[in-house]
Amino acid sequence: MAVGGGSASQNILSVTQLIDSNARAVATSIAVTLKGMCNHPHVMTVSSGNGGLDPQTRTEAGSGFVQRFNYGASVAWGPSVVTLQTGGIQGQSTPEAVAPGAVSGDLRIDIEVDDPGDSPVVAGTYTDNLVITFRPLL
């Protein structure tokens, strides 16, 4: 995977190698570290829009083909670590992790795409939105 762009409010990660030369899935992972600061107690959650990597366009395929990839995302921020393992549930989210004070430093995101086995993968563009939310404790 590689960082493929972004803006002030989002970064785009691209899976650069998801299948081998025989159209079989290969496991892939990435670790991204961002600098951040929050000057107030807060909570953090991580959620998945699709509940995994789903194709943008569904294709009719037999049962022997892969048409979704689950992944795990671990986010570490100050004293808090949350882990999300996707399972196909749209809007799937972690419990809130509480940071009881101000935090400054690294926000580390580790993503690992699960290996779905030896079945061939249906061609297409697979996407999901992984959202990290910080909410102040007032």
Side-chain angles (χ1 to χ4, degrees), residues 42-47 72-85 93-100 103 106-111 132-134:
H42 56 283
V43 295
M44 173 180 69
T45 58
V46 177
S47 61
S74 176
V75 179
W77 168 243
S80 304
V81 177
V82 294
T83 302
L84 176 73
Q85 180 61 50
S93 184
T94 64
E96 292 182 337
V98 177
V103 176
D106 291 340
L107 172 73
R108 182 177 167 98
I109 307 161
D110 292 292
I111 300 172
I132 303 167
T133 303
F134 298 94

Side-chain angles (χ1 to χ4, degrees), residues 27-114:
T28 186
S29 64
I30 190 170
V32 178
T33 301
L34 306 169
K35 296 289 185 191
M37 181 185 68
C38 187
N39 62 1
H40 193 75
H42 56 283
V43 295
M44 173 180 69
T45 58
V46 177
S47 61
S48 165
N50 293 338
L53 294 170
D54 282 339
Q56 285 182 327
T57 304
R58 285 276 179 199
T59 302
E60 286 296 320
S63 61
F65 287 85
V66 173
Q67 291 200 66
R68 118 174 307 284
F69 291 88
N70 287 316
Y71 63 88
S74 176
V75 179
W77 168 243
S80 304
V81 177
V82 294
T83 302
L84 176 73
Q85 180 61 50
T86 63
I89 302 167
Q90 290 184 341
Q92 186 175 351
S93 184
T94 64
E96 292 182 337
V98 177
V103 176
S104 178
D106 291 340
L107 172 73
R108 182 177 167 98
I109 307 161
D110 292 292
I111 300 172
E112 186 170 327
V113 178
D114 298 344

